[in-house]
Amino acid sequence: MGEEVLDVFILDLSYEVVRSEPHIVIWGIDSSGNRVLLRDRSFRPYFYAVLEDDAPVEQVAEMIRRLSVPSSPITEVKPVDRKYYGRPVNVLRIQTVIPESVRDYREKVKGIAYVREVLEADIRFALRYMIDRETPPSTWHRFRVRKIPRSNEYRVSEEYEVLERIGYSDITKPPSMRSIAFDIEVYNPRGSPRAETDPVIIIGAMNDKGEKVQFLAEDPGPRDAKPLREFIEYVLNEDPDILFGYNSAYFDIPYLMERCKRYGLKFDIGRRRGAEPRPSVYGHYSIPGRLHVDLYDFAEEIHEIKIKSLDVVAEYFGIMSRSERTNIPWYEIARYWDDKSKRPILLRYSMEDVISTYGIGMKILPFAIQISSLTGLPLDQVGSASVGHRLEWYLMREAYRYGELVPNREERPYEPYKGAVVLEPKPGVHENIAVMDFSSMYPNIMIKYNIGPDTYIDNEEECGEDGCWKAPEVGYLFRKSPPGFYKRVLETLLKLRRSIRDEMKKYDPDSIEYRILDERQKALKILANAAYGYMGWVGARWYFKQGAEAVTAWGRATIKRAIEIAKSMGLEVIYGDTDSLFIKYSKGLAEEFAERISRELEMEIKIDKIYRKVFFTEAKKRYVGLTENGGIDIVGFEAVRGDWSELAKEIQEEVARIILGTNDVSKAIEYVRSVVKNLEAGKIPMEKLVIWKTITRPLDEYEATAPHVRAAKILLSRGGRIAIGDKIGYVIVRGAGRISDRAMPYTFVDPKDIDPSYYIDHQVIPAALRILEYFGVTERTLRSGSRSRSLFDYSR
DNA sequence: TCGTGGCGGGG
DNA sequence: GTGTACGCCACGA
């Protein structure tokens, strides 16, 4: 069969060893919409040995060659030009055949004389290929290929052998990918379900044409062999590129697999016949040839959402509001199944979960595609990889382009260092305040001062002709030139982002082109902003503590200098944190200030927002602002924290609103008193009294029994399951003893047992007082209806 | 009464 | 398996 040129959008890359030869396997979609498999036999695993400067290179190479074993011969050992932390090094590239053998060779090479370090032996083979051949997934590429006879092994339309990767294709829009969302319900008459004993009762799914299906267990039983078979068949018929689930890596997939195992059924839903899903890196479950995307991972990153349940997240994305959907508590599911009159409600509930999952998938997908194509992470691993790992994949790609060797992962002890400055706020209500933010302060500091492990030097003599930057306070020195690794990477990211934002102007904001570009510029910003934190992370390959310390030191110096400039211009500074300054706004002057900063500090500062009023207490990181359009911004206070009851939060927000909106303190006092009365009369619904806190470690590792720990223990003793990261919702009930002795999971509490005095003393009054205290209001005033002091006295 | 453990949100 | 700074609760000595 002849050669041809093929444009392919890469879904995923993996490898197989076929008759002692490694094959890179590329799963993709071609420009005609065929699902294809490309096989590249030309790539071989390798790693590097860095030698001492005075090493006899050829002799060392010969010794390494002698390590060769027949099962995976060493095919090449040769000196290559590479840099390590910016410096050219004496380095041998060692190539073999079988990827798994790299680990053995690495250990043996380490023991050879003159070998200082072994590098890049811990980079997985498929990633190695993606970097070296520049084949990031979620991108269109052009290959020269030869069609090969279709084997029966893969569920694809065509198979090809790669002769050459020509480059990127000129297609830029992602192809239309077939996607399905799925969700299961399981039978759990005894509380928490266990896959060994409790069958699946509903498997629901939906595709991109809007077609919905439900596979149901059979009565009596319930027996689930049939729905399991039907679901497998469904997936194979639909042949989706993407499967969206919600918490599917931790629940649905392993559960379905365990159920299949009980019937001797293969959960064979991938594009490679007979291959079941398997646990992979970062807690992900991978399905061969398809992209299994667990949307829960993305929800975890949304800090505005406290409870990451599917209904809450779907509401957040505007897919389905919680009030208009069917909600069944998890412990009621078996009952709804058993009761034939209620079963339709359960079916509706299940389908709404599927629709929600699909909707979230569609919202997340454009962003995930951009992160995938930039970092090289397969789309299905974008969610499960941490921020640090995402950036690291990007850095590895860049390092290769620069001829830079990748440092090894190392175990290091945690080392704390000094962070940013936070100014003491001026307490009180201030009018007309501009919040000014330095744009991307840390990335710009890293660029400006060329900070990184490769530009760092020990003493001034080594500064060279161009000289050094010296970090304030810590005194670390960084060569001004040439540009270091971090600087080059960040400049590339920011330049790319600027050009994309320029290009966006050409398009209608509603167009698909605009949306794609917008997601891409967001992804670039996220990667740039992660660089500083990454550098200070002990687990990072490019970890560099002095660099992270220097960044925060220059950050502190920059903001301090900006304050001096502001003061010299007669601008009053109310507050500041890390990269922001709150200044008294006067038109013209703030703009002039921004100009001077840009001239003198070579950093951009911009007006982020203007508050008609802003209120501070003595506390840092807490304020309330009244925006120009009359909205209220609450920062740091209890009202925006997840670990206070809804009631306390509501009251604090309302108090803030009354004070900033009307200046009427007496009105706020009256409001608080009325809530106290309602509480005493038992008129507040229990949901508003629940306090949510996270379990962060195994229960027996807690030093003291905090209320949420105690509530978790009760939950456990009653058959519930507790995992690290779970949020525990509890209320305080009447009785004697410590608060923790009276903390109960709210699901077990009769509302009349709730202790109103706890909520008055520990929730409502403190939350209200946090703001009202500044206006001279005391606890007594809020508690008593009696007028020890006329309300009139508070009108300021 | 006070030091400490614990937690969350924010720039 | 990004960073540090900060406020405030409840526990328990």
Side-chain angles (χ1 to χ4, degrees), chain A residues 477-551:
Chain A
L477 298 169
F478 298 92
R479 252 201 302 271
K480 289 188 176 177
S481 70
F485 183 51
Y486 275 113
K487 175 171 178 158
R488 291 170 72 181
V489 168
L490 286 168
E491 277 186 328
T492 309
L493 284 170
L494 296 184
K495 211 166 108 192
L496 210 54
R497 178 162 182 252
R498 275 195 299 274
S499 74
I500 286 170
R501 278 156 68 105
D502 280 344
E503 203 189 335
M504 282 166 67
K505 291 176 191 150
K506 292 189 221 155
Y507 296 99
D508 178 340
D510 293 327
S511 67
I512 180 77
E513 286 82 2
Y514 187 96
R515 262 201 74 193
I516 292 171
L517 292 170
D518 193 34
E519 297 294 341
R520 193 164 181 84
Q521 68 89 9
K522 273 190 230 163
L524 286 161
K525 183 174 185 175
I526 284 172
L527 288 175
N529 286 342
Y532 149 73
Y534 172 86
M535 187 166 62
W537 169 40
V538 289
R541 287 180 188 268
W542 279 276
Y543 171 67
F544 188 55
K545 193 191 119 171
Q546 291 94 323
E549 272 185 291
V551 172

Coordinates of all heavy atoms in Angstrom, one line a residue, chain A residues 477-551:
Chain A
L477 N 22.1 36.7 44.5 CA 22.5 37.3 43.2 C 22.0 36.5 42.0 O 22.1 35.3 42.0 CB 24.0 37.4 43.2 CG 24.7 38.2 44.3 CD1 26.2 38.0 44.3 CD2 24.4 39.7 44.1
F478 N 21.6 37.2 41.0 CA 21.2 36.6 39.8 C 21.8 37.3 38.6 O 21.7 38.5 38.5 CB 19.6 36.6 39.6 CG 18.9 35.8 40.7 CD1 18.5 36.5 41.9 CD2 18.7 34.5 40.6 CE1 17.9 35.8 42.9 CE2 18.1 33.8 41.6 CZ 17.7 34.4 42.8
R479 N 22.4 36.6 37.7 CA 23.0 37.2 36.5 C 22.0 37.9 35.7 O 20.9 37.3 35.5 CB 23.7 36.1 35.7 CG 25.2 36.1 35.7 CD 25.8 35.4 34.5 NE 25.3 34.0 34.5 CZ 25.9 33.0 35.1 NH1 27.0 33.2 35.7 NH2 25.4 31.8 35.0
K480 N 22.3 39.1 35.2 CA 21.4 39.8 34.3 C 21.2 39.1 33.0 O 20.2 39.2 32.3 CB 21.8 41.2 34.1 CG 21.6 42.0 35.4 CD 21.9 43.5 35.2 CE 21.6 44.3 36.5 NZ 21.9 45.7 36.3
S481 N 22.3 38.5 32.5 CA 22.2 37.8 31.2 C 23.1 36.6 31.2 O 24.0 36.5 32.0 CB 22.7 38.7 30.1 OG 24.1 39.0 30.2
P482 N 22.9 35.6 30.4 CA 21.8 35.5 29.5 C 20.5 35.1 30.2 O 20.5 34.7 31.4 CB 22.2 34.3 28.6 CG 23.1 33.5 29.4 CD 23.8 34.4 30.4
P483 N 19.3 35.2 29.5 CA 18.1 34.9 30.2 C 18.0 33.4 30.6 O 18.5 32.5 29.9 CB 17.0 35.1 29.1 CG 17.8 35.3 27.8 CD 19.2 35.7 28.2
G484 N 17.5 33.2 31.9 CA 17.5 31.9 32.4 C 16.2 31.1 31.9 O 15.4 31.7 31.2
F485 N 16.1 29.9 32.4 CA 15.1 29.0 31.9 C 13.7 29.6 32.3 O 12.8 29.7 31.4 CB 15.3 27.6 32.6 CG 14.3 26.6 32.2 CD1 14.0 26.3 30.8 CD2 13.6 25.8 33.1 CE1 13.1 25.4 30.4 CE2 12.7 24.9 32.8 CZ 12.4 24.6 31.4
Y486 N 13.5 29.9 33.5 CA 12.2 30.4 33.9 C 11.8 31.7 33.1 O 10.7 31.9 32.7 CB 12.1 30.7 35.4 CG 11.8 29.5 36.3 CD1 12.8 29.0 37.2 CD2 10.5 29.0 36.3 CE1 12.4 27.9 38.0 CE2 10.2 27.9 37.1 CZ 11.2 27.3 37.9 OH 10.9 26.2 38.7
K487 N 12.8 32.6 33.0 CA 12.5 33.8 32.3 C 12.1 33.6 30.8 O 11.1 34.1 30.4 CB 13.8 34.7 32.3 CG 13.6 36.0 31.5 CD 14.8 37.0 31.7 CE 14.6 38.2 30.8 NZ 15.3 39.3 31.2
R488 N 12.8 32.7 30.2 CA 12.5 32.4 28.8 C 11.1 31.7 28.7 O 10.3 32.1 27.8 CB 13.5 31.4 28.2 CG 14.9 32.1 28.0 CD 15.9 31.1 27.7 NE 15.8 30.6 26.3 CZ 16.6 29.7 25.7 NH1 17.6 29.2 26.5 NH2 16.5 29.3 24.5
V489 N 10.8 30.8 29.6 CA 9.5 30.2 29.6 C 8.4 31.2 29.8 O 7.4 31.2 29.1 CB 9.4 29.0 30.6 CG1 8.0 28.5 30.8 CG2 10.3 27.9 30.2
L490 N 8.6 32.0 30.9 CA 7.5 33.0 31.2 C 7.3 34.0 30.1 O 6.2 34.4 29.8 CB 7.9 33.7 32.5 CG 7.6 32.8 33.8 CD1 8.2 33.4 35.0 CD2 6.1 32.5 34.0
E491 N 8.5 34.5 29.5 CA 8.3 35.4 28.4 C 7.5 34.8 27.3 O 6.7 35.4 26.7 CB 9.7 35.9 28.0 CG 10.2 37.1 28.9 CD 11.5 37.7 28.4 OE1 12.3 36.9 27.8 OE2 11.7 38.9 28.6
T492 N 7.8 33.5 27.0 CA 7.1 32.9 25.9 C 5.6 32.8 26.2 O 4.8 33.1 25.4 CB 7.6 31.4 25.8 OG1 9.1 31.5 25.6 CG2 7.1 30.7 24.5
L493 N 5.3 32.4 27.5 CA 3.9 32.3 27.9 C 3.2 33.6 27.8 O 2.1 33.7 27.2 CB 3.8 31.7 29.3 CG 4.1 30.3 29.5 CD1 4.2 30.0 31.0 CD2 2.9 29.4 28.9
L494 N 3.8 34.6 28.3 CA 3.1 35.9 28.3 C 3.0 36.6 26.9 O 2.0 37.2 26.6 CB 3.8 36.9 29.3 CG 3.8 36.5 30.8 CD1 4.5 37.5 31.7 CD2 2.4 36.2 31.3
K495 N 4.1 36.4 26.1 CA 4.0 36.9 24.8 C 2.9 36.2 23.9 O 2.2 36.8 23.2 CB 5.4 36.6 24.1 CG 5.8 37.7 23.1 CD 7.2 37.6 22.7 CE 7.4 37.0 21.3 NZ 8.8 36.6 21.0
L496 N 2.9 34.9 24.1 CA 1.8 34.1 23.4 C 0.5 34.6 23.9 O -0.4 34.7 23.0 CB 2.0 32.6 23.8 CG 1.6 31.5 22.9 CD1 2.3 31.8 21.5 CD2 2.0 30.2 23.4
R497 N 0.3 34.8 25.1 CA -1.0 35.3 25.6 C -1.3 36.6 25.0 O -2.5 36.8 24.6 CB -0.9 35.4 27.2 CG -2.2 35.9 27.8 CD -2.3 35.6 29.2 NE -3.6 36.0 29.7 CZ -3.8 37.1 30.5 NH1 -2.8 37.8 30.9 NH2 -5.0 37.4 30.9
R498 N -0.4 37.6 25.0 CA -0.6 38.9 24.4 C -1.1 38.7 22.9 O -2.0 39.4 22.5 CB 0.6 39.8 24.5 CG 0.7 40.5 25.8 CD 1.8 41.6 25.7 NE 3.1 41.1 25.4 CZ 4.0 40.7 26.3 NH1 3.6 40.7 27.6 NH2 5.2 40.3 26.0
S499 N -0.4 37.9 22.2 CA -0.7 37.8 20.8 C -2.1 37.1 20.6 O -2.8 37.5 19.7 CB 0.4 37.0 20.0 OG 0.3 35.6 20.3
I500 N -2.4 36.2 21.5 CA -3.8 35.6 21.4 C -4.8 36.7 21.7 O -5.9 36.7 21.0 CB -3.9 34.4 22.3 CG1 -3.1 33.3 21.7 CG2 -5.3 34.0 22.5 CD1 -2.9 32.1 22.6
R501 N -4.6 37.5 22.7 CA -5.6 38.5 23.1 C -5.7 39.5 21.9 O -6.8 40.0 21.7 CB -5.2 39.2 24.4 CG -5.7 38.3 25.6 CD -4.9 38.6 26.8 NE -5.1 39.9 27.4 CZ -5.8 40.1 28.5 NH1 -6.5 39.1 29.1 NH2 -6.0 41.3 28.9
D502 N -4.6 39.8 21.2 CA -4.7 40.7 20.0 C -5.6 40.0 19.0 O -6.4 40.6 18.4 CB -3.3 40.9 19.5 CG -2.6 42.0 20.3 OD1 -3.3 42.7 21.0 OD2 -1.4 42.2 20.1
E503 N -5.3 38.7 18.8 CA -6.0 38.0 17.7 C -7.5 37.9 18.0 O -8.4 38.0 17.1 CB -5.4 36.6 17.5 CG -5.7 36.1 16.1 CD -5.3 34.6 16.0 OE1 -4.4 34.2 16.8 OE2 -5.9 33.9 15.2
M504 N -7.8 37.8 19.3 CA -9.3 37.7 19.7 C -10.1 38.9 19.2 O -11.3 38.8 18.9 CB -9.4 37.6 21.2 CG -9.1 36.3 21.8 SD -8.8 36.3 23.5 CE -10.4 36.7 24.1
K505 N -9.4 40.1 19.1 CA -10.1 41.3 18.7 C -10.7 41.2 17.3 O -11.6 41.9 17.0 CB -9.1 42.5 18.7 CG -8.7 42.9 20.2 CD -7.7 44.0 20.2 CE -7.1 44.2 21.5 NZ -5.7 44.7 21.5
K506 N -10.2 40.2 16.5 CA -10.7 40.1 15.2 C -12.0 39.4 15.1 O -12.6 39.3 14.1 CB -9.7 39.2 14.4 CG -8.3 39.9 14.1 CD -7.6 39.0 13.1 CE -6.1 39.0 13.5 NZ -5.4 37.8 12.9
Y507 N -12.4 38.8 16.2 CA -13.6 37.9 16.2 C -14.7 38.4 17.0 O -14.5 39.2 18.0 CB -13.2 36.5 16.6 CG -12.2 35.8 15.7 CD1 -10.9 35.7 16.1 CD2 -12.7 35.2 14.6 CE1 -10.0 35.1 15.3 CE2 -11.7 34.5 13.7 CZ -10.4 34.5 14.1 OH -9.5 33.9 13.3
D508 N -15.9 38.0 16.6 CA -17.1 38.3 17.4 C -17.0 37.5 18.7 O -16.7 36.3 18.7 CB -18.3 37.8 16.6 CG -19.6 37.9 17.3 OD1 -19.6 38.1 18.5 OD2 -20.6 37.9 16.6
P509 N -17.2 38.1 19.9 CA -17.1 37.4 21.1 C -18.0 36.2 21.2 O -17.8 35.3 22.0 CB -17.6 38.4 22.2 CG -17.3 39.7 21.5 CD -17.5 39.6 20.1
D510 N -19.0 36.1 20.4 CA -19.9 34.9 20.4 C -19.4 33.8 19.5 O -19.9 32.7 19.5 CB -21.3 35.3 20.0 CG -22.0 36.2 21.0 OD1 -21.7 36.0 22.2 OD2 -22.8 37.0 20.6
S511 N -18.4 34.1 18.7 CA -17.9 33.1 17.7 C -17.1 32.0 18.4 O -16.6 32.2 19.5 CB -17.1 33.7 16.7 OG -15.9 34.2 17.2
I512 N -17.1 30.9 17.7 CA -16.4 29.7 18.3 C -14.9 30.0 18.3 O -14.2 29.7 19.3 CB -16.7 28.4 17.4 CG1 -15.9 27.2 18.0 CG2 -16.3 28.6 16.0 CD1 -16.5 26.6 19.2
E513 N -14.4 30.8 17.3 CA -13.0 31.1 17.3 C -12.6 31.9 18.5 O -11.5 31.7 19.1 CB -12.6 32.0 16.0 CG -12.6 31.2 14.7 CD -14.0 31.0 14.1 OE1 -15.0 31.5 14.7 OE2 -14.1 30.3 13.1
Y514 N -13.4 32.9 18.8 CA -13.2 33.7 20.0 C -13.1 32.9 21.3 O -12.2 33.1 22.1 CB -14.3 34.8 20.1 CG -14.0 35.8 21.2 CD1 -13.4 37.1 20.9 CD2 -14.4 35.6 22.5 CE1 -13.2 38.0 21.8 CE2 -14.2 36.6 23.5 CZ -13.6 37.8 23.1 OH -13.4 38.7 24.1
R515 N -14.1 32.0 21.4 CA -14.1 31.2 22.6 C -12.9 30.3 22.8 O -12.3 30.1 23.8 CB -15.4 30.3 22.6 CG -16.5 30.9 23.4 CD -17.5 29.8 23.7 NE -17.0 28.9 24.8 CZ -17.6 27.8 25.1 NH1 -18.7 27.4 24.4 NH2 -17.2 27.0 26.1
I516 N -12.5 29.7 21.6 CA -11.3 28.9 21.7 C -10.1 29.7 22.2 O -9.3 29.3 23.0 CB -11.0 28.2 20.3 CG1 -12.1 27.2 20.0 CG2 -9.6 27.5 20.3 CD1 -12.0 26.7 18.6
L517 N -9.9 30.9 21.5 CA -8.8 31.7 21.9 C -8.8 32.2 23.3 O -7.8 32.3 24.0 CB -8.7 33.0 21.0 CG -8.4 32.6 19.5 CD1 -8.6 33.9 18.6 CD2 -6.9 32.1 19.4
D518 N -10.0 32.5 23.8 CA -10.2 32.9 25.2 C -9.8 31.8 26.2 O -9.1 32.1 27.1 CB -11.7 33.3 25.4 CG -11.8 34.1 26.7 OD1 -10.9 34.9 27.1 OD2 -12.9 34.0 27.3
E519 N -10.2 30.6 25.9 CA -9.8 29.5 26.7 C -8.3 29.3 26.7 O -7.7 29.0 27.7 CB -10.5 28.2 26.3 CG -12.0 28.2 26.4 CD -12.5 28.3 27.8 OE1 -11.8 28.0 28.8 OE2 -13.7 28.7 28.0
R520 N -7.7 29.6 25.5 CA -6.3 29.4 25.4 C -5.5 30.5 26.2 O -4.5 30.2 26.9 CB -5.8 29.4 24.0 CG -4.4 28.9 23.8 CD -4.1 28.6 22.3 NE -2.8 28.1 22.1 CZ -2.4 26.9 22.2 NH1 -3.3 25.9 22.6 NH2 -1.2 26.5 22.0
Q521 N -6.0 31.7 26.1 CA -5.2 32.7 26.9 C -5.4 32.5 28.4 O -4.5 32.8 29.2 CB -5.6 34.2 26.4 CG -7.1 34.6 26.7 CD -7.2 35.3 28.1 OE1 -6.2 35.6 28.7 NE2 -8.4 35.5 28.5
K522 N -6.6 32.0 28.8 CA -6.8 31.7 30.2 C -5.8 30.6 30.7 O -5.2 30.7 31.8 CB -8.2 31.2 30.5 CG -9.2 32.3 30.7 CD -10.5 31.7 31.2 CE -11.7 32.2 30.4 NZ -12.9 31.5 30.5
A523 N -5.6 29.6 29.8 CA -4.7 28.5 30.2 C -3.3 29.0 30.3 O -2.6 28.6 31.2 CB -4.8 27.4 29.1
L524 N -2.9 29.9 29.4 CA -1.6 30.5 29.4 C -1.3 31.3 30.7 O -0.3 31.2 31.3 CB -1.3 31.4 28.2 CG -1.1 30.6 26.9 CD1 -1.4 31.5 25.7 CD2 0.3 30.0 26.8
K525 N -2.3 32.0 31.1 CA -2.2 32.8 32.3 C -2.1 31.9 33.5 O -1.3 32.2 34.4 CB -3.4 33.7 32.5 CG -3.3 34.6 33.7 CD -4.4 35.6 33.8 CE -4.0 36.5 35.0 NZ -5.0 37.6 35.2
I526 N -2.9 30.9 33.6 CA -2.8 29.9 34.7 C -1.4 29.3 34.8 O -0.9 29.2 35.9 CB -3.9 28.9 34.6 CG1 -5.3 29.6 34.9 CG2 -3.7 27.7 35.4 CD1 -6.5 28.7 34.7
L527 N -0.9 28.9 33.7 CA 0.5 28.3 33.7 C 1.5 29.3 34.2 O 2.4 29.0 35.0 CB 0.9 27.8 32.3 CG 0.1 26.5 31.9 CD1 0.5 26.1 30.5 CD2 0.4 25.3 32.8
A528 N 1.4 30.6 33.7 CA 2.4 31.6 34.1 C 2.3 31.9 35.6 O 3.3 32.0 36.3 CB 2.2 32.9 33.3
N529 N 1.1 32.0 36.1 CA 0.9 32.3 37.5 C 1.3 31.1 38.4 O 1.5 31.4 39.6 CB -0.6 32.6 37.8 CG -0.9 34.0 37.3 OD1 0.0 34.8 37.0 ND2 -2.2 34.3 37.1
A530 N 1.4 29.9 37.9 CA 1.8 28.8 38.7 C 3.3 28.7 38.9 O 3.8 28.0 39.8 CB 1.3 27.5 38.1
A531 N 4.1 29.5 38.1 CA 5.5 29.3 38.1 C 6.2 29.5 39.4 O 7.1 28.8 39.9 CB 6.2 30.1 37.0
Y532 N 5.8 30.6 40.1 CA 6.5 31.0 41.4 C 6.2 29.9 42.4 O 7.1 29.4 43.1 CB 6.0 32.3 41.9 CG 6.0 32.4 43.4 CD1 7.2 32.5 44.1 CD2 4.8 32.4 44.1 CE1 7.2 32.5 45.5 CE2 4.8 32.4 45.5 CZ 6.0 32.4 46.1 OH 5.9 32.4 47.5
G533 N 4.9 29.5 42.5 CA 4.6 28.5 43.5 C 5.2 27.2 43.2 O 5.7 26.5 44.1
Y534 N 5.4 26.9 41.9 CA 6.0 25.7 41.5 C 7.5 25.7 42.0 O 8.0 24.7 42.5 CB 5.9 25.5 40.0 CG 6.7 24.4 39.5 CD1 6.3 23.1 39.4 CD2 8.0 24.6 39.0 CE1 7.0 22.1 38.9 CE2 8.8 23.6 38.5 CZ 8.3 22.3 38.5 OH 9.1 21.3 38.0
M535 N 8.1 26.8 41.8 CA 9.6 26.9 42.1 C 9.8 26.7 43.6 O 10.8 26.2 44.0 CB 10.1 28.3 41.7 CG 11.6 28.5 41.8 SD 12.2 29.9 40.9 CE 11.4 31.2 41.8
G536 N 8.8 27.1 44.4 CA 9.0 26.9 45.9 C 8.4 25.6 46.4 O 8.3 25.4 47.6
W537 N 8.0 24.7 45.5 CA 7.4 23.5 45.9 C 8.5 22.4 46.0 O 9.2 22.2 45.0 CB 6.3 23.1 44.8 CG 5.8 21.7 44.9 CD1 5.5 21.0 46.1 CD2 5.5 20.8 43.8 NE1 5.1 19.7 45.7 CE2 5.1 19.6 44.4 CE3 5.6 20.9 42.4 CZ2 4.7 18.5 43.6 CZ3 5.2 19.8 41.7 CH2 4.8 18.6 42.2
V538 N 8.7 21.8 47.1 CA 9.8 20.8 47.3 C 9.7 19.6 46.4 O 10.7 19.0 46.1 CB 9.9 20.3 48.8 CG1 10.4 21.5 49.7 CG2 8.6 19.8 49.3
G539 N 8.5 19.4 45.8 CA 8.4 18.2 44.9 C 8.7 18.5 43.5 O 8.7 17.6 42.6
A540 N 9.0 19.8 43.2 CA 9.2 20.2 41.8 C 10.6 19.7 41.3 O 11.6 19.8 42.0 CB 9.1 21.7 41.7
R541 N 10.6 19.4 40.0 CA 11.9 19.1 39.4 C 12.8 20.3 39.4 O 14.0 20.3 39.6 CB 11.7 18.6 37.9 CG 11.2 17.2 37.8 CD 11.0 16.8 36.4 NE 10.3 15.5 36.2 CZ 10.9 14.3 36.1 NH1 12.2 14.2 36.1 NH2 10.2 13.2 35.9
W542 N 12.2 21.5 39.0 CA 13.0 22.7 39.0 C 12.7 23.5 40.3 O 12.5 24.7 40.3 CB 12.6 23.5 37.8 CG 13.2 23.1 36.5 CD1 14.5 23.5 36.1 CD2 12.7 22.3 35.5 NE1 14.8 22.9 34.9 CE2 13.7 22.1 34.5 CE3 11.5 21.6 35.3 CZ2 13.5 21.4 33.3 CZ3 11.3 20.8 34.2 CH2 12.3 20.7 33.2
Y543 N 12.8 22.8 41.4 CA 12.6 23.4 42.7 C 13.8 24.3 43.0 O 15.0 24.0 42.7 CB 12.6 22.3 43.8 CG 12.7 22.8 45.2 CD1 11.7 23.6 45.8 CD2 13.8 22.5 46.0 CE1 11.7 24.1 47.1 CE2 13.9 23.0 47.3 CZ 12.8 23.8 47.9 OH 12.9 24.2 49.2
F544 N 13.6 25.5 43.5 CA 14.7 26.4 43.8 C 14.2 27.4 44.9 O 13.7 28.4 44.6 CB 15.2 27.1 42.6 CG 16.4 27.9 42.8 CD1 17.6 27.3 43.3 CD2 16.5 29.2 42.5 CE1 18.7 28.0 43.6 CE2 17.6 30.0 42.8 CZ 18.8 29.3 43.3
K545 N 14.5 27.0 46.1 CA 14.1 27.8 47.3 C 14.6 29.3 47.2 O 13.8 30.2 47.5 CB 14.5 27.1 48.6 CG 13.7 27.7 49.8 CD 14.3 27.2 51.1 CE 14.8 28.5 51.8 NZ 15.2 28.2 53.2
Q546 N 15.9 29.4 47.0 CA 16.4 30.8 47.0 C 15.6 31.7 46.0 O 15.4 32.9 46.2 CB 17.9 30.8 46.6 CG 18.8 30.2 47.7 CD 19.0 28.8 47.5 OE1 18.2 28.0 47.0 NE2 20.3 28.3 47.8
G547 N 15.3 31.0 44.9 CA 14.5 31.8 43.8 C 13.2 32.2 44.4 O 12.8 33.4 44.2
A548 N 12.4 31.3 45.0 CA 11.1 31.6 45.6 C 11.2 32.7 46.6 O 10.5 33.7 46.7 CB 10.5 30.4 46.1
E549 N 12.3 32.6 47.4 CA 12.5 33.6 48.5 C 12.8 35.0 47.8 O 12.4 36.0 48.3 CB 13.8 33.2 49.3 CG 13.5 32.4 50.5 CD 14.8 32.2 51.2 OE1 15.7 31.5 50.7 OE2 14.9 32.7 52.4
A550 N 13.6 35.0 46.8 CA 13.9 36.2 46.1 C 12.7 36.9 45.5 O 12.5 38.1 45.5 CB 15.0 36.0 45.0
V551 N 11.8 36.0 44.9 CA 10.6 36.6 44.3 C 9.8 37.3 45.4 O 9.3 38.5 45.2 CB 9.7 35.4 43.7 CG1 8.4 36.0 43.3 CG2 10.4 34.8 42.5

